[in-house]
Structures are given as structure tokens and as C-alpha cells.
Amino acid sequence: LLVEKGKEQAIEMIPELPERLEAPVEKDQEIGKIRCVLEGKELVSLPVYAGAAVEAVSWDKIFLLLLQNLGTF
């Protein structure tokens, strides 16, 4: 991305990300974007990807994890 010298500090990075994500989320799944704006003009919009997978958790799994970890307190 090229801009005039001295204007690089004026670039706004505006994240567009959801407040929450529903699991499951796959690694490298697009979850939002970042807009680069200079003087009100969008220069580029870049995708944001999940860095890791997140599986959905059921109440059964939560209960099982709780039971497995009771002895670690």
C-alpha cells in the first residue's frame, strides 16, 4: 500500500468484527475485515481470519470437563 510521504500516520485502521462468534469456528475462516481509510477514502479492505479452530461445546462436554478437573483444585 503506497501513500504520500508523511501521510502514513493519518491512515485509520477500522476493524469490522462481530461482537460474538458462534462456535464452531474453523481455522482460517474469515471472521471480519479491517478497512484502511485515509482522509475519508477507503484505500483497502483486508480480511481477518481465525488463527485457530474453536469447537462447539455442549452441556455434556462441560459437565465431563468439570468432573475430570475436580481433583486439580
Side-chain angles (χ1 to χ4, degrees):
L1 185 62
L2 296 173
V3 294
E4 287 181 39
K5 189 173 184 176
K7 289 193 174 185
E8 60 275 359
Q9 297 298 320
I11 296 174
E12 293 179 76
M13 305 288 261
I14 303 170
E16 292 184 354
L17 301 168
E19 291 272 331
R20 298 175 46 144
L21 290 173
E22 289 282 331
V25 175
E26 301 297 323
K27 183 179 185 318
D28 298 326
Q29 176 181 331
E30 187 172 329
I31 57 171
K33 60 182 160 180
I34 295 182
R35 295 174 48 235
C36 299
V37 177
L38 177 63
E39 298 171 349
K41 181 180 175 188
E42 185 174 301
L43 303 174
V44 68
S45 179
L46 303 169
V48 175
Y49 298 102
V54 178
E55 64 182 70
V57 179
S58 66
W59 285 107
D60 295 344
K61 187 163 186 165
I62 291 171
F63 186 69
L64 180 63
L65 288 170
L66 178 66
L67 289 176
Q68 289 173 345
N69 290 303
L70 278 177
T72 62
F73 291 104

